[in-house]
Amino acid sequence: MESCEDMRPHHSGLSPQTKPAPFTVTTALSSYRLGEEVKVQLQAPASTPFIGFLLQAREVGGSSPVGSFVLTVGAAQYLTCNLRPNSAVSQRSESAKTFIQVIWRSEAPADAKPIQFHASFVQNYRTFWVDVTSPALTFNNNSTGGSTSPTSTPTTSTTPTKHQPAPPSSISSEDCGVTKVCFSQPSNCDPTVSADCYFMSAMMLSTNDAAIRYEMTGPSDGYISFGFSDDQKMGNDDIYICGIGSNGLVQLQHAFSTGRTTPQALPLGNVSNVRGSLQDRVISCSFTSMNTPSTQRTTGFNKTYHLMFAHGPSSNGQIQFHTATFISTEKVDISRPHLVRKAGWPHIIKAHGALMLIAWMTMGSAGMMVARYLKGVAKGQNLWGKDVWFLVHVSVMSVTIAATIIAFILSFSYVKVWSGGAHPVLGCLVMILSLLQPILALLRCGPQHPLRFLFNWSHTLNGVAIKALSVAAILTGLKLIDSSLDQWLMKVMGGFVGWEALFYILLDVHLKWKVNRTG
């Protein structure tokens, strides 16, 4: 890690400030003992906050980090320099900061020399200071401890620098709506808290230039992406893709979406500070871009766009059709920090879900209960030469199959392609078995036929299989659309299934009791 050695930010073509830094590095002690903890403070005037920093302890005149840090705030994170864990600290996000406090601890006799704390500060993309130092701390080998007189004026190095940005694992919802635009699913989730959080943010690094810091993270087996669009449909969108390349490493791509075909690759352009990571299926990317968002109809930073977020699989580094996506309700100005609301699902998808719920959580259940438990209710009463229970069963199940067919057509007419995942597989199985059920019923043999039991068993087992698969399909569908943090739709559906299962058990117990009593 180059920044560990020279404390330099990686801001291409830019040099650090030569004027004195407005920031200070102070310590609570002027000397230290072996193993003693020393409080170190980074401070800035309220009018001049910093967004990034890098802090190390070094022997006076040395270039390698010594000792280790202990964090006391959530705004900082550990770094490993020169193979020494926790030997440096940096920011977790690009939020504005005026005060950071950490604890440094001497660890080995080799550290028993005068040491000095070195820090680099980033005010914005173009403005940063390198190697701001604290007064030296002398080593004290007696048992009385170090002096508690505070340190004061920092010194400033004017060496050119490259900045080490925060790694993508530090992406969080901190300062969303305050300094950056945030867009996530579930709504308002924090990727540092939940691994199932799909999240992107955009933050203007300075009002004087067009540099924007972007972050995105989320679980995926292939890629995650976000884009700028003039509408809420895929096509003619300026997108950035964070995906697993053919070499197994995470890479950033810039592309232009043309609809439901593979996006057209574009040069990355004026992009810097690119970081990517993959950990436990969670893909993360952060980068600084001075590219102007551009679609066919709109170009510019001060314009408004719909934000889109999509994720899906990839094959040998090539992205495949996304498995899920979410889009902002309204157009967004990324230069104005706020929380972006996710758009609701299209009416056609809502109709699909409603029909499947009606089909298999009401009508289908009623039809199955009539056939199994209510044959004796209207015993001896016929209508058009058929038992009443049979006509009710056939009518209710016909409506169930009709609703299933309509729901199936609605979903595929909207998506138009195979979307992947468990939900469409389960839906297709439900559709196939639902069509097979009436065909088998029409081909059944008479009630007195010696092979009638084969129809009875196959009809029953197929009905139970359809019921189980439909419940699984509904649950996976609800998981796709439920953006709440507590997944309340899944919980309600689970309660509904549990209540229905209990109802079946009670009816079965009652039926057996009734048979035993009459027998």
Side-chain angles (χ1 to χ4, degrees):
M1 189 180 292
E2 295 181 37
S3 294
C4 288
E5 299 175 1
D6 54 22
M7 307 288 290
R8 297 179 177 181
H10 294 269
H11 291 181
S12 178
L14 298 177
S15 300
Q17 298 295 304
T18 57
K19 59 184 179 181
F23 315 110
T24 60
V25 183
T26 60
T27 61
L29 303 175
S30 60
S31 63
Y32 72 98
R33 291 177 299 151
L34 184 63
E36 185 175 21
E37 294 184 345
V38 179
K39 290 183 179 179
V40 186
Q41 296 178 343
L42 309 182
Q43 293 177 288
S47 60
T48 315
F50 55 90
I51 62 172
F53 69 91
L54 177 63
L55 176 66
Q56 289 182 1
R58 296 179 176 180
E59 294 178 3
V60 174
S63 59
S64 298
V66 295
S68 63
F69 288 92
V70 178
L71 298 183
T72 60
V73 293
Q77 65 172 352
Y78 297 114
L79 294 179
T80 297
C81 290
N82 290 30
L83 302 180
R84 295 176 65 106
N86 307 341
S87 58
V89 289
S90 181
Q91 77 278 2
R92 287 181 59 87
S93 69
E94 280 81 11
S95 60
K97 309 167 186 66
T98 58
F99 179 81
I100 294 290
Q101 177 173 285
V102 296
I103 295 175
W104 176 83
R105 180 186 295 124
S106 174
E107 291 186 332
D111 297 339
K113 298 179 181 179
I115 60 102
Q116 200 170 27
F117 292 94
H118 296 248
S120 295
F121 295 89
V122 177
Q123 183 179 347
N124 56 54
Y125 183 81
R126 296 180 179 274
T127 308
F128 49 90
W129 285 262
V130 176
D131 209 22
V132 178
T133 59
S134 72
L137 276 71
T138 58
F139 177 68
N140 189 344
N141 59 4
N142 60 34
S143 59
T144 60
S147 168
T148 58
S149 59
T151 62
S152 54
T153 308
T155 59
T156 305
S157 167
T158 59
T159 311
T161 110
K162 293 182 180 179
H163 174 55
Q164 177 65 42
S169 59
S170 67
I171 296 174
S172 75
S173 61
E174 181 183 3
D175 292 327
C176 282
V178 179
T179 61
K180 59 186 180 181
V181 173
C182 294
F183 187 38
S184 64
Q185 180 175 288
S187 299
N188 302 326
C189 65
D190 188 343
T192 62
V193 176
S194 172
D196 294 324
C197 177
Y198 293 98
F199 177 89
M200 70 82 57
S201 69
M203 181 177 68
M204 296 284 290
L205 297 184
S206 172
T207 57
N208 299 324
D209 55 44
I212 298 182
R213 186 66 180 174
Y214 293 107
E215 301 173 321
M216 58 175 148
T217 184
S220 176
D221 293 320
Y223 70 94
I224 58 174
S225 63
F226 73 85
F228 304 95
S229 178
D230 289 316
D231 50 37
Q232 292 180 308
K233 297 180 180 179
M234 291 289 182
N236 301 325
D237 313 314
D238 190 355
I239 61 177
Y240 289 96
I241 304 167
C242 177
I244 304 172
S246 57
N247 57 2
L249 301 178
V250 174
Q251 61 186 20
L252 180 70
Q253 302 175 58
H254 190 199
F256 188 78
S257 170
T258 55
R260 297 185 180 275
T261 58
T262 303
Q264 298 175 357
L266 298 175
L268 269 182
N270 200 351
V271 171
S272 61
N273 292 353
V274 178
R275 301 297 301 274
S277 72
L278 173 63
Q279 184 175 9
D280 297 329
R281 290 190 64 248
V282 176
I283 300 175
S284 302
C285 280
S286 61
F287 59 98
T288 300
S289 173
M290 297 184 70
N291 295 330
T292 302
S294 178
T295 63
Q296 280 194 341
R297 297 195 296 268
T298 308
T299 300
F301 284 107
N302 297 322
K303 306 299 182 180
T304 58
Y305 307 88
H306 284 286
L307 289 181
M308 292 183 168
F309 194 106
H311 56 92
S314 63
S315 176
N316 197 29
Q318 296 295 317
I319 69 171
Q320 308 298 306
F321 192 79
H322 58 263
T323 55
T325 182
F326 54 99
I327 305 168
S328 63
T329 303
E330 300 172 346
K331 287 189 174 183
V332 175
D333 182 353
I334 58 174
S335 66
R336 297 181 178 180
H338 64 287
L339 298 175
V340 181
R341 293 187 297 119
K342 182 174 70 71
W345 287 85
H347 294 306
I348 193 170
I349 296 300
K350 292 179 180 179
H352 163 78
L355 285 171
M356 291 302 288
L357 281 170
I358 292 170
W360 292 108
M361 297 308 296
T362 55
M363 302 299 291
S365 300
M368 295 172 69
M369 289 178 182
V370 167
R372 179 163 177 79
Y373 304 112
L374 302 179
K375 290 181 179 179
V377 171
K379 191 172 183 179
Q381 297 183 19
N382 293 336
L383 186 63
W384 300 311
K386 298 292 183 180
D387 290 338
V388 172
W389 75 264
F390 177 77
L391 293 175
V392 173
H393 171 73
V394 171
S395 300
V396 172
M397 296 310 296
S398 296
V399 173
T400 299
I401 293 174
T404 302
I405 293 172
I406 296 172
F408 186 83
I409 294 172
L410 288 177
S411 63
F412 270 91
S413 66
Y414 176 77
V415 179
K416 293 185 175 64
V417 295
W418 184 260
S419 60
H423 182 68
V425 173
L426 293 169
C428 286
L429 289 175
V430 169
M431 186 72 259
I432 293 170
L433 295 181
S434 295
L435 292 174
L436 183 63
Q437 190 77 331
I439 294 174
L440 292 176
L442 290 173
L443 298 177
R444 70 188 184 279
C445 51
Q448 307 305 321
H449 195 282
L451 298 179
R452 175 72 177 202
F453 74 94
L454 293 177
F455 165 74
N456 292 338
W457 276 106
S458 62
H459 194 68
T460 301
L461 292 176
N462 193 48
V464 172
I466 297 173
K467 177 66 177 179
L469 290 170
S470 65
V471 169
I474 292 172
L475 286 170
T476 55
L478 290 175
K479 186 175 182 180
L480 290 175
I481 68 171
D482 190 359
S483 61
S484 62
L485 290 172
D486 58 357
Q487 296 277 286
W488 70 270
L489 285 177
M490 297 279 288
K491 294 176 181 178
V492 171
M493 180 62 185
F496 197 178
V497 173
W499 165 249
E500 187 172 326
L502 178 62
F503 204 61
Y504 274 109
I505 293 172
L506 293 175
L507 286 173
D508 219 58
V509 170
H510 178 264
L511 179 64
K512 292 184 182 300
W513 171 80
K514 187 176 180 180
V515 170
N516 291 334
R517 190 184 69 170
T518 57

mmCIF file of all heavy atoms in Angstrom, residues 317-347:
data_model
loop_
_atom_site.group_PDB
_atom_site.id
_atom_site.type_symbol
_atom_site.label_atom_id
_atom_site.label_comp_id
_atom_site.label_asym_id
_atom_site.label_seq_id
_atom_site.Cartn_x
_atom_site.Cartn_y
_atom_site.Cartn_z
ATOM 1 N N GLY A 317 -16.757 -12.948 -16.479
ATOM 2 C CA GLY A 317 -16.566 -11.508 -16.530
ATOM 3 C C GLY A 317 -17.611 -10.750 -17.315
ATOM 4 O O GLY A 317 -17.630 -9.517 -17.280
ATOM 5 N N GLN A 318 -18.507 -11.455 -18.025
ATOM 6 C CA GLN A 318 -19.558 -10.809 -18.803
ATOM 7 C C GLN A 318 -20.854 -10.789 -17.990
ATOM 8 O O GLN A 318 -21.316 -11.839 -17.539
ATOM 9 C CB GLN A 318 -19.782 -11.554 -20.125
ATOM 10 C CG GLN A 318 -18.591 -11.525 -21.053
ATOM 11 C CD GLN A 318 -18.267 -10.113 -21.535
ATOM 12 O OE1 GLN A 318 -19.164 -9.348 -21.880
ATOM 13 N NE2 GLN A 318 -16.978 -9.779 -21.538
ATOM 14 N N ILE A 319 -21.445 -9.606 -17.822
ATOM 15 C CA ILE A 319 -22.655 -9.522 -17.016
ATOM 16 C C ILE A 319 -23.823 -10.147 -17.761
ATOM 17 O O ILE A 319 -23.915 -10.088 -18.984
ATOM 18 C CB ILE A 319 -22.972 -8.062 -16.627
ATOM 19 C CG1 ILE A 319 -23.396 -7.239 -17.852
ATOM 20 C CG2 ILE A 319 -21.802 -7.422 -15.931
ATOM 21 C CD1 ILE A 319 -23.923 -5.868 -17.505
ATOM 22 N N GLN A 320 -24.725 -10.781 -17.018
ATOM 23 C CA GLN A 320 -25.935 -11.373 -17.565
ATOM 24 C C GLN A 320 -27.121 -10.482 -17.195
ATOM 25 O O GLN A 320 -26.985 -9.492 -16.487
ATOM 26 C CB GLN A 320 -26.130 -12.786 -17.005
ATOM 27 C CG GLN A 320 -24.909 -13.687 -17.167
ATOM 28 C CD GLN A 320 -24.544 -13.930 -18.627
ATOM 29 O OE1 GLN A 320 -25.383 -14.359 -19.404
ATOM 30 N NE2 GLN A 320 -23.292 -13.647 -18.990
ATOM 31 N N PHE A 321 -28.312 -10.880 -17.675
ATOM 32 C CA PHE A 321 -29.507 -10.083 -17.388
ATOM 33 C C PHE A 321 -29.725 -10.024 -15.878
ATOM 34 O O PHE A 321 -29.593 -11.023 -15.174
ATOM 35 C CB PHE A 321 -30.730 -10.695 -18.071
ATOM 36 C CG PHE A 321 -31.927 -9.796 -18.074
ATOM 37 C CD1 PHE A 321 -32.028 -8.750 -18.981
ATOM 38 C CD2 PHE A 321 -32.955 -9.978 -17.160
ATOM 39 C CE1 PHE A 321 -33.125 -7.905 -18.987
ATOM 40 C CE2 PHE A 321 -34.064 -9.145 -17.152
ATOM 41 C CZ PHE A 321 -34.142 -8.107 -18.071
ATOM 42 N N HIS A 322 -30.077 -8.842 -15.381
ATOM 43 C CA HIS A 322 -30.193 -8.647 -13.937
ATOM 44 C C HIS A 322 -31.319 -9.498 -13.347
ATOM 45 O O HIS A 322 -32.340 -9.750 -13.987
ATOM 46 C CB HIS A 322 -30.436 -7.179 -13.613
ATOM 47 C CG HIS A 322 -31.659 -6.600 -14.258
ATOM 48 N ND1 HIS A 322 -31.612 -5.890 -15.438
ATOM 49 C CD2 HIS A 322 -32.959 -6.629 -13.889
ATOM 50 C CE1 HIS A 322 -32.825 -5.515 -15.771
ATOM 51 N NE2 HIS A 322 -33.667 -5.945 -14.853
ATOM 52 N N THR A 323 -31.132 -9.918 -12.111
ATOM 53 C CA THR A 323 -32.157 -10.698 -11.403
ATOM 54 C C THR A 323 -33.103 -9.801 -10.627
ATOM 55 O O THR A 323 -34.217 -10.214 -10.299
ATOM 56 C CB THR A 323 -31.499 -11.690 -10.432
ATOM 57 O OG1 THR A 323 -30.624 -10.971 -9.548
ATOM 58 C CG2 THR A 323 -30.690 -12.729 -11.187
ATOM 59 N N ALA A 324 -32.686 -8.590 -10.317
ATOM 60 C CA ALA A 324 -33.557 -7.658 -9.589
ATOM 61 C C ALA A 324 -33.065 -6.234 -9.816
ATOM 62 O O ALA A 324 -31.882 -5.998 -10.088
ATOM 63 C CB ALA A 324 -33.581 -7.977 -8.095
ATOM 64 N N THR A 325 -33.985 -5.305 -9.702
ATOM 65 C CA THR A 325 -33.638 -3.902 -9.857
ATOM 66 C C THR A 325 -34.609 -3.048 -9.045
ATOM 67 O O THR A 325 -35.723 -3.483 -8.745
ATOM 68 C CB THR A 325 -33.693 -3.475 -11.340
ATOM 69 O OG1 THR A 325 -33.303 -2.108 -11.467
ATOM 70 C CG2 THR A 325 -35.097 -3.639 -11.902
ATOM 71 N N PHE A 326 -34.181 -1.870 -8.644
ATOM 72 C CA PHE A 326 -35.100 -0.910 -8.032
ATOM 73 C C PHE A 326 -34.753 0.487 -8.545
ATOM 74 O O PHE A 326 -33.594 0.768 -8.880
ATOM 75 C CB PHE A 326 -35.103 -0.977 -6.507
ATOM 76 C CG PHE A 326 -33.756 -0.842 -5.846
ATOM 77 C CD1 PHE A 326 -33.336 0.371 -5.322
ATOM 78 C CD2 PHE A 326 -32.912 -1.936 -5.721
ATOM 79 C CE1 PHE A 326 -32.113 0.496 -4.690
ATOM 80 C CE2 PHE A 326 -31.683 -1.825 -5.088
ATOM 81 C CZ PHE A 326 -31.275 -0.597 -4.574
ATOM 82 N N ILE A 327 -35.777 1.327 -8.636
ATOM 83 C CA ILE A 327 -35.685 2.615 -9.315
ATOM 84 C C ILE A 327 -36.269 3.697 -8.415
ATOM 85 O O ILE A 327 -37.229 3.453 -7.679
ATOM 86 C CB ILE A 327 -36.440 2.561 -10.662
ATOM 87 C CG1 ILE A 327 -35.911 1.404 -11.525
ATOM 88 C CG2 ILE A 327 -36.313 3.880 -11.420
ATOM 89 C CD1 ILE A 327 -36.776 1.089 -12.719
ATOM 90 N N SER A 328 -35.696 4.890 -8.486
ATOM 91 C CA SER A 328 -36.185 5.988 -7.642
ATOM 92 C C SER A 328 -37.573 6.434 -8.086
ATOM 93 O O SER A 328 -37.912 6.408 -9.275
ATOM 94 C CB SER A 328 -35.215 7.168 -7.691
ATOM 95 O OG SER A 328 -35.123 7.693 -9.004
ATOM 96 N N THR A 329 -38.373 6.846 -7.111
ATOM 97 C CA THR A 329 -39.724 7.314 -7.393
ATOM 98 C C THR A 329 -39.716 8.577 -8.238
ATOM 99 O O THR A 329 -40.482 8.711 -9.193
ATOM 100 C CB THR A 329 -40.463 7.601 -6.072
ATOM 101 O OG1 THR A 329 -40.467 6.421 -5.276
ATOM 102 C CG2 THR A 329 -41.892 8.040 -6.319
ATOM 103 N N GLU A 330 -38.829 9.503 -7.896
ATOM 104 C CA GLU A 330 -38.761 10.777 -8.598
ATOM 105 C C GLU A 330 -37.351 10.995 -9.135
ATOM 106 O O GLU A 330 -36.407 10.293 -8.755
ATOM 107 C CB GLU A 330 -39.137 11.922 -7.649
ATOM 108 C CG GLU A 330 -40.546 11.801 -7.071
ATOM 109 C CD GLU A 330 -40.810 12.842 -6.004
ATOM 110 O OE1 GLU A 330 -39.830 13.465 -5.538
ATOM 111 O OE2 GLU A 330 -41.979 13.023 -5.635
ATOM 112 N N LYS A 331 -37.206 11.973 -10.012
ATOM 113 C CA LYS A 331 -35.889 12.335 -10.507
ATOM 114 C C LYS A 331 -35.077 12.997 -9.394
ATOM 115 O O LYS A 331 -35.621 13.684 -8.539
ATOM 116 C CB LYS A 331 -36.008 13.271 -11.710
ATOM 117 C CG LYS A 331 -36.474 12.558 -12.978
ATOM 118 C CD LYS A 331 -36.369 13.469 -14.187
ATOM 119 C CE LYS A 331 -36.681 12.710 -15.463
ATOM 120 N NZ LYS A 331 -36.526 13.562 -16.668
ATOM 121 N N VAL A 332 -33.776 12.772 -9.431
ATOM 122 C CA VAL A 332 -32.893 13.152 -8.325
ATOM 123 C C VAL A 332 -31.807 14.095 -8.826
ATOM 124 O O VAL A 332 -31.231 13.885 -9.897
ATOM 125 C CB VAL A 332 -32.244 11.895 -7.705
ATOM 126 C CG1 VAL A 332 -31.228 12.282 -6.637
ATOM 127 C CG2 VAL A 332 -33.308 10.977 -7.136
ATOM 128 N N ASP A 333 -31.527 15.126 -8.042
ATOM 129 C CA ASP A 333 -30.379 15.998 -8.269
ATOM 130 C C ASP A 333 -29.274 15.532 -7.319
ATOM 131 O O ASP A 333 -29.359 15.734 -6.107
ATOM 132 C CB ASP A 333 -30.759 17.451 -7.993
ATOM 133 C CG ASP A 333 -29.601 18.424 -8.254
ATOM 134 O OD1 ASP A 333 -28.477 17.951 -8.517
ATOM 135 O OD2 ASP A 333 -29.821 19.648 -8.188
ATOM 136 N N ILE A 334 -28.240 14.900 -7.875
ATOM 137 C CA ILE A 334 -27.214 14.288 -7.010
ATOM 138 C C ILE A 334 -26.326 15.317 -6.335
ATOM 139 O O ILE A 334 -25.511 14.962 -5.481
ATOM 140 C CB ILE A 334 -26.343 13.293 -7.802
ATOM 141 C CG1 ILE A 334 -25.660 13.989 -8.989
ATOM 142 C CG2 ILE A 334 -27.164 12.106 -8.266
ATOM 143 C CD1 ILE A 334 -24.684 13.093 -9.718
ATOM 144 N N SER A 335 -26.482 16.596 -6.679
ATOM 145 C CA SER A 335 -25.693 17.626 -6.002
ATOM 146 C C SER A 335 -26.367 18.084 -4.710
ATOM 147 O O SER A 335 -25.781 18.857 -3.956
ATOM 148 C CB SER A 335 -25.490 18.831 -6.929
ATOM 149 O OG SER A 335 -26.719 19.486 -7.200
ATOM 150 N N ARG A 336 -27.577 17.599 -4.441
ATOM 151 C CA ARG A 336 -28.305 17.986 -3.233
ATOM 152 C C ARG A 336 -28.506 16.769 -2.346
ATOM 153 O O ARG A 336 -29.291 15.872 -2.683
ATOM 154 C CB ARG A 336 -29.662 18.594 -3.608
ATOM 155 C CG ARG A 336 -29.530 19.868 -4.420
ATOM 156 C CD ARG A 336 -30.892 20.451 -4.744
ATOM 157 N NE ARG A 336 -30.765 21.704 -5.488
ATOM 158 C CZ ARG A 336 -31.801 22.431 -5.907
ATOM 159 N NH1 ARG A 336 -33.032 22.010 -5.641
ATOM 160 N NH2 ARG A 336 -31.590 23.549 -6.576
ATOM 161 N N PRO A 337 -27.798 16.679 -1.220
ATOM 162 C CA PRO A 337 -27.875 15.489 -0.359
ATOM 163 C C PRO A 337 -29.290 15.229 0.151
ATOM 164 O O PRO A 337 -29.955 16.132 0.676
ATOM 165 C CB PRO A 337 -26.935 15.836 0.805
ATOM 166 C CG PRO A 337 -25.998 16.862 0.245
ATOM 167 C CD PRO A 337 -26.820 17.658 -0.721
ATOM 168 N N HIS A 338 -29.762 14.006 0.011
ATOM 169 C CA HIS A 338 -31.045 13.586 0.566
ATOM 170 C C HIS A 338 -31.176 12.079 0.423
ATOM 171 O O HIS A 338 -30.363 11.422 -0.233
ATOM 172 C CB HIS A 338 -32.217 14.304 -0.121
ATOM 173 C CG HIS A 338 -32.383 13.983 -1.580
ATOM 174 N ND1 HIS A 338 -31.537 14.460 -2.546
ATOM 175 C CD2 HIS A 338 -33.298 13.215 -2.226
ATOM 176 C CE1 HIS A 338 -31.914 14.022 -3.736
ATOM 177 N NE2 HIS A 338 -32.983 13.252 -3.571
ATOM 178 N N LEU A 339 -32.201 11.535 1.060
ATOM 179 C CA LEU A 339 -32.501 10.119 0.968
ATOM 180 C C LEU A 339 -33.486 9.912 -0.178
ATOM 181 O O LEU A 339 -34.529 10.567 -0.228
ATOM 182 C CB LEU A 339 -33.102 9.603 2.281
ATOM 183 C CG LEU A 339 -32.196 9.711 3.511
ATOM 184 C CD1 LEU A 339 -32.964 9.280 4.763
ATOM 185 C CD2 LEU A 339 -30.967 8.840 3.338
ATOM 186 N N VAL A 340 -33.154 9.025 -1.075
ATOM 187 C CA VAL A 340 -33.971 8.794 -2.263
ATOM 188 C C VAL A 340 -34.964 7.670 -1.997
ATOM 189 O O VAL A 340 -34.592 6.610 -1.476
ATOM 190 C CB VAL A 340 -33.082 8.428 -3.474
ATOM 191 C CG1 VAL A 340 -33.938 8.208 -4.722
ATOM 192 C CG2 VAL A 340 -32.058 9.531 -3.724
ATOM 193 N N ARG A 341 -36.213 7.908 -2.341
ATOM 194 C CA ARG A 341 -37.248 6.892 -2.159
ATOM 195 C C ARG A 341 -37.315 5.983 -3.370
ATOM 196 O O ARG A 341 -37.175 6.412 -4.508
ATOM 197 C CB ARG A 341 -38.617 7.551 -1.916
ATOM 198 C CG ARG A 341 -38.711 8.292 -0.597
ATOM 199 C CD ARG A 341 -40.119 8.785 -0.329
ATOM 200 N NE ARG A 341 -40.539 9.761 -1.338
ATOM 201 C CZ ARG A 341 -41.576 9.593 -2.147
ATOM 202 N NH1 ARG A 341 -42.295 8.486 -2.088
ATOM 203 N NH2 ARG A 341 -41.908 10.520 -3.019
ATOM 204 N N LYS A 342 -37.536 4.704 -3.084
ATOM 205 C CA LYS A 342 -37.646 3.702 -4.139
ATOM 206 C C LYS A 342 -39.048 3.713 -4.715
ATOM 207 O O LYS A 342 -40.033 3.844 -4.000
ATOM 208 C CB LYS A 342 -37.317 2.310 -3.575
ATOM 209 C CG LYS A 342 -37.347 1.191 -4.604
ATOM 210 C CD LYS A 342 -36.875 -0.106 -3.979
ATOM 211 C CE LYS A 342 -37.876 -0.643 -2.986
ATOM 212 N NZ LYS A 342 -39.093 -1.151 -3.645
ATOM 213 N N ALA A 343 -39.136 3.553 -6.041
ATOM 214 C CA ALA A 343 -40.445 3.528 -6.692
ATOM 215 C C ALA A 343 -41.190 2.244 -6.365
ATOM 216 O O ALA A 343 -40.595 1.202 -6.099
ATOM 217 C CB ALA A 343 -40.274 3.649 -8.206
ATOM 218 N N GLY A 344 -42.522 2.331 -6.357
ATOM 219 C CA GLY A 344 -43.336 1.144 -6.140
ATOM 220 C C GLY A 344 -43.309 0.224 -7.349
ATOM 221 O O GLY A 344 -42.841 0.585 -8.434
ATOM 222 N N TRP A 345 -43.818 -0.968 -7.172
ATOM 223 C CA TRP A 345 -43.830 -1.941 -8.257
ATOM 224 C C TRP A 345 -44.923 -1.598 -9.255
ATOM 225 O O TRP A 345 -45.966 -1.049 -8.890
ATOM 226 C CB TRP A 345 -44.026 -3.348 -7.702
ATOM 227 C CG TRP A 345 -42.799 -3.843 -7.020
ATOM 228 C CD1 TRP A 345 -42.430 -3.627 -5.724
ATOM 229 C CD2 TRP A 345 -41.742 -4.606 -7.614
ATOM 230 N NE1 TRP A 345 -41.217 -4.207 -5.464
ATOM 231 C CE2 TRP A 345 -40.776 -4.816 -6.605
ATOM 232 C CE3 TRP A 345 -41.523 -5.124 -8.882
ATOM 233 C CZ2 TRP A 345 -39.606 -5.531 -6.847
ATOM 234 C CZ3 TRP A 345 -40.366 -5.847 -9.116
ATOM 235 C CH2 TRP A 345 -39.419 -6.037 -8.102
ATOM 236 N N PRO A 346 -44.729 -1.932 -10.535
ATOM 237 C CA PRO A 346 -45.747 -1.645 -11.564
ATOM 238 C C PRO A 346 -47.066 -2.337 -11.246
ATOM 239 O O PRO A 346 -47.094 -3.402 -10.617
ATOM 240 C CB PRO A 346 -45.114 -2.203 -12.850
ATOM 241 C CG PRO A 346 -43.653 -2.270 -12.568
ATOM 242 C CD PRO A 346 -43.518 -2.547 -11.111
ATOM 243 N N HIS A 347 -48.155 -1.767 -11.728
ATOM 244 C CA HIS A 347 -49.485 -2.322 -11.460
ATOM 245 C C HIS A 347 -49.625 -3.745 -12.002
ATOM 246 O O HIS A 347 -50.316 -4.570 -11.418
ATOM 247 C CB HIS A 347 -50.553 -1.415 -12.061
ATOM 248 C CG HIS A 347 -50.635 -0.063 -11.416
ATOM 249 N ND1 HIS A 347 -50.807 0.103 -10.055
ATOM 250 C CD2 HIS A 347 -50.543 1.194 -11.940
ATOM 251 C CE1 HIS A 347 -50.834 1.393 -9.760
ATOM 252 N NE2 HIS A 347 -50.676 2.076 -10.887
#
